[in-house]
Amino acid sequence: SEYSGFEGKLSEDLKIINYENNYIKEKLNLCNYGIGKSKEVDKIFINVRVFYTYGSGQRPSSLINLLYDSFLKQLNVNLTAGEHFRDYIYVSDVADGLIMYAPG
């Protein structure tokens, strides 16, 4: 949805005219802002979007918290048949990885 219906070879320099929603619009605006500022100060800009991160401060209704609380309380959880899957990563592992691979 970020590429607004474009198909085939996609790239970050596509000019999107109609955004499907404000989330997509502002995500791209933030990226473009970072790229512009990095050029002003002659630095590299790396835009990292991490998905399925979990950890302290997560909303109580999240899947990870639901499963954890249900386990502690010995309750059954009503889940789908498992047609979908997600790879979750702990927030401190994300931070460690970003620090490890950040340019000098």
Side-chain angles (χ1 to χ4, degrees), residues 56-103:
S56 178
Q58 191 164 339
R59 69 187 188 328
S61 61
S62 71
L63 177 62
I64 298 292
N65 285 339
L66 171 70
L67 294 173
Y68 183 71
D69 288 344
S70 297
F71 171 77
L72 291 178
K73 297 172 183 173
Q74 300 285 309
L75 298 173
N76 290 330
V77 180
N78 186 15
L79 300 172
T80 67
E83 298 92 10
H84 302 87
F85 65 91
R86 304 287 186 265
D87 290 326
Y88 286 88
I89 184 168
Y90 193 67
V91 67
S92 65
D93 293 333
V94 171
D96 290 344
L98 293 174
I99 291 167
M100 184 183 305
Y101 292 103

Side-chain angles (χ1 to χ4, degrees), residues 9-67:
K9 186 176 179 183
L10 303 175
S11 68
E12 294 299 324
D13 60 350
L14 286 174
K15 301 297 180 209
I16 308 298
I17 297 169
N18 296 314
Y19 301 97
E20 287 189 22
N21 59 53
N22 285 335
Y23 172 75
I24 294 168
K25 179 181 178 182
E26 295 311 318
K27 182 169 57 170
L28 293 174
N29 283 340
L30 179 61
C31 180
N32 291 330
Y33 176 81
I35 290 169
K37 285 296 181 183
S38 70
K39 288 178 182 176
E40 286 178 19
V41 295
D42 196 29
K43 297 289 182 181
I44 296 171
F45 174 73
I46 299 173
N47 185 22
V48 178
R49 292 180 288 174
V50 182
F51 299 93
Y52 302 113
T53 303
Y54 71 97
S56 178
Q58 191 164 339
R59 69 187 188 328
S61 61
S62 71
L63 177 62
I64 298 292
N65 285 339
L66 171 70
L67 294 173

